[in-house]
């Protein structure tokens, strides 16, 4: 791979990047947004941590784990624009969201507000939290197609009432692959004294992050998506104004047993005897992406997403939800398809063509969501377009 990045449309040069991954030859993989396969250097780094753990567990847990955990967190904090003491490692964004729900006091009459573009698991988490406390879960409908950030903000805050205690909003939506104006949303929420939890698993690496500048109360994310860290690596940001009473759901030693708790995050270091290799490998993923060049990755993956959008519109008359602008979509493109059986179409794409891509039902309509990373090529997109054209007639 050249140290000088090729033009975004130089397909011959970009083909070399596939060699950085060990992807199955029978698969055209266009679903990095759901399950991002780690590149080979990240897999090797994790294997090295697992070997250190398995070969001398006492040395690893007692002497190695804490310094490595704190060093990994420091590099991650720098990457996402925060301070290390504001972050803890968690398994994934879902774990982080469950922690926020467990640490958010709700009472009968309180309201939690989500948008209708929120991830299904997040809906389930907050519905259970509201059901247990007697609070109410409200869903704000966002106007479609998207036309302006101001419209999104207006749609959300039109639904905010005097009993709204928390707003949960995606940085980049999962179902609809849309970059929401979280800076403006957080700013408006602070003006109203409203707490905000940003659900950000799709944002890490796909867009520049400066979490401290958002001034949100919580930010939860997975690192196994666009950052290409191992599965089982995620983080939770907790603003200092929310740290005093914030506690893990699973309490163990916190630190090596001779250490005393000095700050809120100590109890998250040791939550039980487990394999922490995914956390400790996050720096290897950051190094990989920074070596590739984050701007290079963003320009290239957006080029592929834009190509998918254009080809699907031309070939199938597919309809987008957002303007053709990098402010609205990055490495993913979502296009509406003719209505029909979602599961059957996704199954046919895999069994007949070896293509992995999500076919999504959203608001009673059928969509395809194309996710692109450095190992993808225009040929992958064109293969999908041909397959969909044949399957949809």
């Amino acid at each position: 791979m050249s140290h000088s990045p090729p033009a975004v449309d130089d397909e011959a040069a970009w083909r070399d990047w596939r060699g950085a991954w060990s992807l199955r030859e029978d698969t055209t993989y266009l679903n990095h947004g759901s399950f991002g396969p780690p590149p080979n250097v990240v897999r090797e780094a994790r294997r090295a941590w697992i070997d250190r753990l398995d070969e001398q567990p006492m040395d690893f847990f007692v002497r190695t784990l804490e310094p490595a955990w704190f060093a990994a967190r420091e590099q991650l904090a720098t990457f996402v624009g925060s301070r290390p003491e504001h972050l803890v490692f968690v398994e994934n964004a879902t774990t982080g969201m469950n922690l926020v729900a467990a640490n958010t006091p709700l009472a009968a009459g309180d309201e939690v507000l989500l948008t209708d573009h929120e991830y299904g698991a997040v809906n389930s988490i907050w519905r259970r939290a509201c059901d247990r406390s007697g609070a109410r879960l409200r869903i704000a409908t966002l106007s479609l197609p998207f036309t302006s950030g101001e419209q999104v903000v207006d749609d959300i805050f039109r639904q905010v009432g005097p009993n709204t205690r928390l707003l949960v909003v995606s940085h980049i939506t999962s179902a609809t692959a849309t970059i929401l104006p979280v800076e403006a949303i957080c700013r408006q929420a602070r003006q109203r004294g409203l707490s905000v939890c940003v659900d950000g698993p799709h944002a890490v690496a796909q867009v520049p992050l400066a979490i401290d500048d958002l001034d949100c109360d919580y930010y939860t994310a997975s690192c196994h998506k666009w950052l290409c860290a191992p599965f089982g690596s995620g983080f939770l940001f907790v603003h200092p104004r929310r740290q005093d009473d914030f506690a893990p759901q699973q309490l163990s030693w916190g630190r090596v047993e001779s250490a005393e708790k000095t700050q809120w995050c100590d109890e998250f270091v040791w939550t039980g005897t487990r394999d922490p290799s995914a956390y400790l490998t996050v720096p290897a993923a950051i190094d990989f992406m920074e070596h590739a060049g984050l701007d290079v990755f963003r320009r290239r993956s957006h080029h592929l997403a834009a190509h998918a959008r254009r080809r699907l519109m031309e070939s199938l008359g597919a309809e987008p939800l957002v303007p053709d602008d990098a402010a609205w979509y990055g490495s993913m493109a979502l296009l509406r398809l003719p209505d029909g059986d979602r599961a059957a179409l996704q199954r046919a794409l895999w069994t007949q063509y070896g293509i992995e891509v999500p076919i999504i039902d959203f608001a009673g309509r059928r969509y395809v969501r194309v996710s692109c990373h450095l190992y993808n090529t225009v040929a992958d997109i064109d293969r999908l377009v041909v397959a969909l054209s044949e399957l949809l007639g």
Side-chain angles (χ1 to χ4, degrees), residues 44 141 148 201 248 289 331-332:
E44 291 162 4
T141 300
S148 72
M289 290 299 293
S331 307
M332 298 189 290

Side-chain angles (χ1 to χ4, degrees), residues 30-108:
L30 293 167
N31 194 19
H32 199 96
S34 294
F35 312 108
N40 294 329
V41 293
V42 173
R43 296 173 66 193
E44 291 162 4
R46 185 178 193 183
R47 170 48 59 189
W49 281 116
I50 292 173
D51 288 346
R52 290 183 68 175
L53 166 61
D54 290 345
E55 290 166 0
Q56 224 285 34
M58 180 72 175
D59 183 55
F60 181 88
F61 283 121
V62 175
R63 305 179 189 95
T64 301
L65 174 57
E66 278 198 10
W69 194 97
F70 286 116
R73 182 181 66 163
E74 183 170 2
Q75 189 168 348
L76 175 62
T78 299
F79 187 79
V80 300
S82 186
R83 297 177 60 83
E85 61 268 24
H86 299 167
L87 301 184
V88 292
F89 283 113
V90 293
E91 299 286 331
N92 46 46
T94 300
T95 303
M97 191 63 70
N98 273 279
L99 281 164
V100 174
N103 283 275
T104 299
L106 295 171

Side-chain angles (χ1 to χ4, degrees), residues 161-234:
N163 296 323
T164 306
R165 298 290 174 259
L166 177 73
L167 168 64
V168 180
V169 63
S170 288
H171 195 153
I172 302 177
T173 64
S174 177
T176 53
T178 301
I179 302 172
L180 296 183
V182 291
E183 296 87 351
I185 293 168
C186 290
R187 184 166 56 249
Q188 178 79 268
R190 293 308 307 155
Q191 292 172 0
R192 295 176 177 234
L194 177 63
S195 297
V196 179
C197 177
V198 179
D199 185 34
H202 282 285
V204 183
Q206 189 177 166
V207 296
L209 272 182
I211 292 176
D212 280 357
D213 292 345
L214 291 177
D215 199 25
C216 57
D217 296 84
Y218 310 101
Y219 194 107
T220 184
S222 301
C223 297
H224 70 258
K225 296 181 183 286
W226 308 100
L227 185 57
C228 294
F231 296 107
S233 61

Side-chain angles (χ1 to χ4, degrees), residues 308-369:
R309 173 187 167 112
R310 183 171 58 254
R311 290 279 286 113
L312 287 164
M313 291 173 69
E314 293 170 351
S315 299
L316 299 174
E319 302 172 9
L321 291 182
V322 299
D324 190 10
D325 188 332
W328 284 103
Y329 72 100
S331 307
M332 298 189 290
L334 182 92
L335 282 300
R336 183 182 165 189
L337 300 174
D339 294 340
D341 189 325
R342 178 204 66 81
L345 180 57
Q346 184 163 336
R347 184 167 55 250
L349 284 167
W350 169 244
T351 58
Q352 297 180 39
Y353 297 91
I355 297 173
E356 292 283 20
V357 68
I359 305 298
I360 292 169
D361 278 332
F362 177 76
R365 304 294 186 182
R366 185 169 63 166
Y367 295 85
V368 58
R369 193 194 72 185

Side-chain angles (χ1 to χ4, degrees), residues 1-2 11-20 374:
M1 289 169 284
S2 171
E11 291 305 303
W14 285 105
R15 276 190 212 104
D16 293 343
W17 274 101
R18 187 177 175 92
L374 291 171

